[in-house]
Amino acid sequence: MKAHRAMLIKLPKDKCNVNYIRRLMALTNLAYHDFETWEPDIPRTIQHHLYEFKSYKNSLVFGVAPKKWFAEVWVPLKTLRIYGDGFMKGDKHAPVVLDFKNNVIKLRQVCRSEPGFVVEVPMPKWVVDRIKEGGDVKYAMIGLRDDEPYLALVAEREVEPYQPSGYILVIDVNSWRYGIAWGLVKNGKLITWKTEKPDTFLINTLCYQTVDRERKVGKLKRLGYSSSAKVDEIKEQAHTRKSRIYRITRDKAYFLASKLVKKALKYKASLVIDDMTEESRRELLEERLPSDVIKLLMSNLKRFVHQLETLAQWYGVPYEFRRLPSTVCPVCQSELTQEEGRIMICENCGFKAPRDKIPIHWATKLHKLEDDRH
Ligand SMILES: [Zn+2]
């Protein structure tokens, strides 16, 4: 199985002609739709290079990738890899040269329409790490995001998922308010369990401060002060808080995905991912939270699930998505009643547990049933 990971590198804007890159993106878009146009002022080598990619049109290489920033048509580029021992791999005339000897990436003629124009950027540690893990960077892409030039590198690795050792790692994805719960299960027994979340108090405070400021802006606008310095100031304050929530949850998403995949690797566990984000959104709605707060509390959870899946594929961790109940008793299957502090109680058999632990109890139970059957 082929696994992929991607990263973005910001290119020096002063060395790039943004309009040229935009034109290359437009040409790529045309090529994608089966049109071939030859532009007299764009180097032939680059245009040849572009149309060579047509045979890969429906592959990741041509930019139909799961990542958001591939939605616009980025320009696919071949790479030449020069390793420390002088060994070379790839197309000698490739526009992107990954030089591990000198630790630089060279971009030839894709930043400016000038013959022989080269832009050099330092080799990111990310690339070196992926190569050490047995990956290869065959393809790159250049493109614009918010008018800034970027280089996207796509690492590829051939990997087979390992045979799980009997451990399973259950991951239950909620909102940031309730966090991400995980449990390590072996032979139908729950070994450890934990809920992970960012500083919830801070997130909640920032959420309410944001909403409060947005309300104030609305009020001032209704009173006819839509373009005053005061309004701008409050708007800025709201924006700063939103960005902070976004950064905190994004960092937590990447940190947790990496931590959990490492844990799975350590125990040779298989991953069971219960993506309950939609259910969590409904739960927050039922609590009558304002929709902006809900949006902030849900931000970057999709990124977390995506990163979890990407890393699991890359390291060969077997995984599956599985819906696990959170309101049904794992002992007698009666409907559970929710009490103060998100404690779930079964009125039929007396079972009692925190709400976030119920899916993990279910996973344990199902795992035991599957074990017994074998
Ligand atoms: Zn029960």
Side-chain angles (χ1 to χ4, degrees):
M1 199 185 81
K2 277 194 174 106
H4 293 99
R5 283 177 76 177
M7 83 161 301
L8 276 184
I9 304 167
K10 205 170 186 172
L11 295 172
K13 208 174 179 180
D14 56 321
K15 287 180 189 150
C16 297
N17 181 338
V18 168
N19 283 329
Y20 173 59
I21 297 173
R22 192 173 287 121
R23 281 185 67 199
L24 289 182
M25 288 175 85
L27 281 181
T28 311
N29 199 354
L30 285 173
Y32 186 76
H33 291 102
D34 270 333
F35 289 105
E36 237 182 77
T37 48
W38 294 86
E39 299 287 308
D41 57 330
I42 288 180
R44 286 295 262 200
T45 46
I46 294 299
Q47 298 191 68
H48 273 295
H49 172 86
L50 194 60
Y51 295 118
E52 257 177 52
F53 268 100
K54 278 172 90 172
S55 43
Y56 298 107
K57 222 170 67 180
N58 294 315
S59 74
L60 170 90
V61 175
F62 212 80
V64 206
K67 295 263 158 151
K68 234 189 193 159
W69 28 270
F70 289 151
E72 262 191 291
V73 189
W74 284 43
V75 187
L77 306 166
K78 280 188 196 162
T79 67
L80 169 70
R81 285 84 76 202
I82 306 172
Y83 296 101
D85 55 3
F87 182 71
M88 283 201 264
K89 225 165 140 186
D91 185 343
K92 278 213 171 69
H93 303 287
V96 179
V97 182
L98 303 175
D99 183 348
F100 295 100
K101 239 165 138 178
N102 300 305
N103 262 317
V104 287
I105 298 177
K106 289 178 199 154
L107 297 159
R108 305 196 280 212
Q109 293 190 4
V110 281
C111 296
R112 250 187 230 174
S113 180
E114 267 171 48
F117 187 78
V118 176
V119 170
E120 271 191 25
V121 287
M123 178 73 73
K125 189 179 171 288
W126 184 92
V127 177
V128 179
D129 288 346
R130 299 295 81 81
I131 301 293
K132 272 190 197 147
E133 289 164 352
D136 192 5
V137 181
K138 283 187 197 162
Y139 303 108
M141 288 184 225
I142 196 170
L144 301 172
R145 197 169 71 168
D146 300 330
D147 265 351
E148 299 284 339
Y150 283 93
L151 179 72
L153 295 174
V154 184
E156 189 178 279
R157 184 189 180 202
E158 190 68 46
V159 58
E160 286 308 320
Y162 55 69
Q163 203 59 41
S165 62
Y167 277 99
I168 57 167
L169 183 63
V170 191
I171 300 171
D172 185 34
V173 189
N174 290 298
S175 65
W176 290 117
R177 175 178 225 182
Y178 303 121
I180 285 155
W182 60 263
L184 188 66
V185 176
K186 178 152 198 213
N187 301 331
K189 271 207 188 86
L190 185 57
I191 315 260
T192 36
W193 176 77
K194 205 183 164 191
T195 310
E196 309 262 6
K197 44 190 165 186
D199 184 342
T200 332
F201 181 74
L202 178 64
I203 297 267
N204 278 334
T205 311
L206 289 169
C207 276
Y208 281 102
Q209 286 177 347
T210 310
V211 172
D212 180 55
R213 275 156 183 83
E214 278 172 350
R215 278 203 193 117
K216 265 186 199 145
V217 169
K219 207 169 163 188
L220 284 168
K221 271 186 181 165
R222 278 193 300 280
L223 292 170
Y225 297 104
S226 50
S227 56
S228 70
K230 187 75 196 154
V231 168
D232 288 346
E233 191 194 318
I234 304 174
K235 260 192 199 161
E236 184 56 36
Q237 287 173 351
H239 178 75
T240 316
R241 279 160 183 80
K242 258 195 220 165
S243 315
R244 228 178 125 197
I245 296 170
Y246 185 81
R247 276 199 310 276
I248 295 171
T249 55
R250 181 199 56 198
D251 292 352
K252 194 74 184 177
Y254 280 126
F255 169 79
L256 274 183
S258 158
K259 173 182 164 170
L260 292 170
V261 168
K262 271 186 201 146
K263 193 174 279 294
L265 275 170
K266 185 177 160 191
Y267 291 96
K268 286 260 175 293
S270 64
L271 274 185
V272 175
I273 307 162
D274 184 12
D275 185 358
M276 310 221 306
T277 45
E278 279 318 305
E279 212 175 305
S280 304
R281 194 191 299 276
R282 274 198 297 278
E283 204 185 335
L284 296 175
L285 271 170
E286 278 163 24
E287 287 173 36
R288 292 167 185 270
L289 288 174
S291 62
D292 329 30
V293 173
I294 295 178
K295 217 167 145 190
L296 290 169
L297 286 171
M298 300 304 295
S299 66
N300 284 313
L301 283 170
K302 280 210 178 89
R303 192 185 288 261
F304 167 72
V305 176
H306 180 77
Q307 183 67 0
L308 200 60
E309 205 180 354
T310 305
L311 291 180
Q313 284 173 0
W314 183 263
Y315 292 110
V317 177
Y319 69 96
E320 61 167 330
F321 285 92
R322 194 166 184 173
R323 294 315 312 263
L324 297 161
S326 60
T327 55
V328 179
C329 176
V331 180
C332 71
Q333 295 177 35
S334 305
E335 197 64 29
L336 294 166
T337 319
Q338 183 160 334
E339 304 226 319
E340 199 69 26
R342 298 181 93 232
I343 298 290
M344 303 303 275
I345 284 185
C346 175
E347 276 158 14
N348 185 40
C349 75
F351 174 85
K352 190 175 170 183
R355 183 174 171 134
D356 300 325
K357 207 175 173 178
I358 310 289
I360 293 163
H361 275 298
W362 268 102
T364 311
K365 181 188 168 122
L366 295 171
H367 190 228
K368 194 169 181 336
L369 286 175
E370 277 159 23
D371 257 12
D372 292 347
R373 225 179 293 136
H374 291 305

